[in-house]
Amino acid sequence: MSENSPGVQAYIKRGTAFSSAEAALRSKMRQKKFDTIAVHGLYGMEAALANQGSIIEPAYLSPAQHFENSDHMEAALAYLMPAWAYTRIANPGLHYLEQALALLEGYGFAGETSACMTSSGMAAVFMATNPFLTQEGSNTVMNIVASAKCYGGTFMLFNQRYAKERGIELRWVRDPLDLNEWADKIDNNTRFVFGEMPSNPGLGVFDIAALAALAHQHGLPLIVDSTIATPALMRPLQHGADIVVHSVSKCLAASGFAIAGAIVSRRDIPSRVGPAELRADFASYVKLLPMRDHGSSLSPFSALMILNDLRSLRSRVDLMSKNALKVAEFLAQHPQIESVNYPGLSASPGHEIAAKYLWLADGEDDYGSAVNRFGHLLSFNVKGGVRAARAVFDGLGMIWRATDLGRIKSVAAIPAISTHQQQGEEGRELSNIPDNMIRLSIGAEHPKDIIEDLEQALAGVEKSTVVSV
Ligand SMILES: Cc1ncc(COP(=O)(O)O)c(C=O)c1O
């Protein structure tokens, strides 16, 4: 390695100047409002002039970067200067998306944040957890402590891939609101604490600050899947969490043009294992090392699609949340409905904790004072069991039947036969997902039309019940 050669040194100097300019712009952007950050991110005038003056972030679809000479190549590939080298490792468009997301998750948080885009939400959950599962030192069985109220893919990753295939002990927390349950499960062999908030599809919540404090007492990182909330409503790093994961495929990219994931972390996280770099800057560590080798990078074209959606995140989430509350209130009083899961309903068991954490960013600028918003996702159980639930689902005339959520268009799914099918009956019982549950992701249509569609679907079941009686 000719790190000390004058040629390589010149490139290191050039890289340092680039990083310093970005750091200065980052400090400036951190003073801006949420919407301004979402629109501009870290793509400023200097970056535009280096990209033919394009006022929109570049989408370089080329897999690789041409280097000026061997010194340039060496400095870039040894990570001695910022570069993109090869799109599996880095790419300009991905860089601007990562910077924008890091700024948004860090909105209102005093510390620095960094982000790493991944090819899907599941790739993000995997890459955010796998680095803590290294076999180090003794042969004692390591364990992970996670909320059972989580997305079916996460359930399968932990239960099947980690526990059954790799022998890692999995300690599910049934009621994430119960701090004692978390505390009872953590011990000297725990590697991380994981929770999804609000959870898909049960809308479970937990006290992030209290759980972070508990994890930190044990020297462990708290990882939060914040997909359903998005940074427009909740920013877990601000409350003590160490790592946030997103299925960017959802509300962050509501138009539905990309599957993607993201890991966002704060600096200097606790961990019982791993190198110093892992603790110092987890998301950058994952990006430059484990993910380089695992290879789950995002397409630069998808990055551009996502950046486009990200710009209007806050107002979209506000509208979808307001619509969702109206739909939840309608369902809660409907005689055909057994129960509704929506943290915005005051009768919801998690309402108080949800109201502590879910606030519309800069809501006071729009509404005169800060406002709670509870997100676009809800679920409900239909009276009459599976048959009735299927009949309501099949009767929908505008709301899409699909395994999707966070979309600008309303979408419904029956988790037991779709997103949470693989985890089996026992797993669904653990996660509290009955067969008659319908998950509903509310879009930006007028709420009157969404309610009308539900009303006619429910009326169809009422009629068929009368006929069959
Ligand atoms: C909360 C949550 N996390 C992670 C994922 C996985 O994301 P992806 O489908 O982008 O892999 C999903 C997908 O539905 C999800 O809802």
Side-chain angles (χ1 to χ4, degrees):
M1 161 83 64
S2 46
E3 190 174 329
N4 295 322
S5 82
V8 171
Q9 281 298 322
Y11 283 104
I12 295 176
K13 214 167 143 195
R14 193 199 280 183
T16 308
F18 176 85
S19 299
S20 305
E22 278 214 331
L25 181 57
R26 197 176 302 111
S27 304
K28 208 168 118 187
M29 290 311 292
R30 283 172 61 133
Q31 308 310 314
K32 307 280 186 209
K33 289 286 191 173
F34 191 94
D35 287 342
T36 310
I37 296 169
V39 169
H40 289 273
L42 206 63
Y43 188 70
M45 291 184 176
E46 209 170 307
L49 290 173
N51 285 287
Q52 311 281 349
S54 171
I55 64 168
I56 299 298
E57 294 82 344
Y60 288 113
L61 303 184
S62 167
Q65 171 186 10
H66 165 67
F67 293 107
E68 291 171 9
N69 54 42
S70 57
D71 288 335
H72 189 197
M73 179 181 262
E74 183 173 2
L77 271 297
Y79 297 149
L80 296 171
M81 66 179 295
W84 60 281
Y86 189 63
T87 289
R88 173 158 48 76
I89 306 170
N91 174 278
L94 287 174
H95 173 71
Y96 291 113
L97 175 55
E98 283 164 345
Q99 294 295 325
L101 260 182
L103 281 166
L104 292 177
E105 273 299 342
Y107 190 64
F109 171 61
E112 289 281 342
T113 52
S114 27
C116 166
M117 296 307 300
T118 60
S119 56
S120 69
M122 280 318 301
V125 178
F126 174 70
M127 290 310 318
T129 51
N130 191 54
F132 298 106
L133 301 177
T134 49
Q135 198 66 55
E136 284 180 22
S138 75
N139 277 333
T140 44
V141 177
M142 62 183 108
N143 69 68
I144 60 183
V145 177
S147 168
K149 292 196 172 166
C150 64
Y151 168 60
T154 303
F155 191 99
M156 293 303 284
L157 173 69
F158 291 178
N159 195 55
Q160 201 66 30
R161 310 293 152 232
Y162 288 166
K164 297 217 168 97
E165 292 177 4
R166 284 165 60 175
I168 292 158
E169 193 187 329
L170 174 57
R171 298 181 178 176
W172 286 124
V173 170
R174 244 178 202 273
D175 178 8
L177 269 173
D178 181 359
L179 206 62
N180 292 327
E181 201 188 333
W182 290 96
D184 287 347
K185 300 221 154 105
I186 299 172
D187 68 15
N188 288 339
N189 296 318
T190 305
R191 291 297 178 83
F192 61 78
V193 178
F194 183 100
E196 190 177 299
M197 175 165 165
S199 68
N200 166 14
L203 286 304
V205 296
F206 53 88
D207 191 331
I208 301 175
L211 188 56
L214 177 67
H216 295 167
Q217 275 168 27
H218 292 269
L220 295 170
L222 171 63
I223 306 169
V224 178
D225 183 333
S226 188
T227 297
I228 308 304
T230 84
L233 299 186
M234 184 176 89
R235 294 172 300 283
L237 302 181
Q238 200 179 334
H239 305 293
D242 301 285
I243 299 166
V244 172
V245 292
H246 283 287
S247 167
V248 177
S249 325
K250 306 293 166 7
C251 202
L252 290 168
S255 304
F257 294 136
I259 292 288
I263 300 171
V264 188
S265 65
R266 66 174 175 81
R267 297 288 151 82
D268 301 316
I269 66 164
S271 173
R272 287 177 172 162
V273 289
E277 295 94 314
L278 175 151
R279 290 180 195 81
D281 184 349
F282 182 77
S284 303
Y285 164 77
V286 166
K287 181 176 174 56
L288 296 179
L289 297 167
M291 208 177 84
R292 176 196 65 188
D293 306 333
H294 284 286
S296 49
S297 55
L298 182 67
S299 148
F301 187 76
S302 296
L304 195 69
M305 297 290 104
I306 296 160
L307 271 167
N308 206 33
D309 270 345
L310 202 59
R311 304 189 210 283
S312 54
L313 177 69
R314 199 186 67 93
S315 43
R316 187 172 67 242
V317 167
D318 185 23
L319 175 63
M320 288 158 75
S321 301
K322 285 194 285 190
N323 289 352
L325 180 61
K326 285 184 186 139
V327 174
E329 283 167 346
F330 159 76
L331 290 169
Q333 54 73 48
H334 197 283
Q336 200 65 32
I337 301 299
E338 201 172 84
S339 57
V340 180
N341 300 307
Y342 188 66
L345 295 176
S346 53
S348 156
H351 178 69
E352 212 176 300
I353 289 291
K356 182 174 163 191
Y357 291 107
L358 294 161
W359 294 93
L360 179 68
D362 296 334
E364 59 279 16
D365 295 340
D366 299 327
Y367 297 99
S369 60
V371 286
N372 278 125
R373 289 285 180 261
F374 297 94
H376 59 275
L377 195 71
L378 58 98
S379 57
F380 58 96
N381 302 348
V382 182
K383 275 185 194 162
V386 188
R387 259 190 56 201
R390 282 188 179 235
V392 173
F393 187 69
D394 293 345
L396 295 171
M398 178 190 77
I399 299 168
W400 302 104
R401 284 178 285 274
T403 56
D404 204 3
L405 59 87
R407 217 44 71 227
I408 197 78
K409 300 178 174 193
S410 294
V411 184
I414 298 181
I417 57 164
S418 58
T419 50
H420 294 69
Q421 189 198 121
Q422 325 96 299
Q423 71 193 60
E425 219 165 287
E426 203 183 315
R428 285 195 295 278
E429 196 275 322
L430 188 68
S431 308
N432 195 16
I433 302 171
D435 292 354
N436 63 334
M437 176 191 274
I438 295 181
R439 185 186 75 188
L440 192 53
S441 173
I442 300 299
E445 303 96 340
H446 195 290
K448 179 182 157 290
D449 293 323
I450 304 170
I451 290 171
E452 215 168 85
D453 195 23
L454 287 163
E455 215 160 22
Q456 63 77 29
L458 285 157
V461 180
E462 280 170 285
K463 272 189 219 120
S464 71
T465 316
V466 172
V467 170
S468 65
V469 167

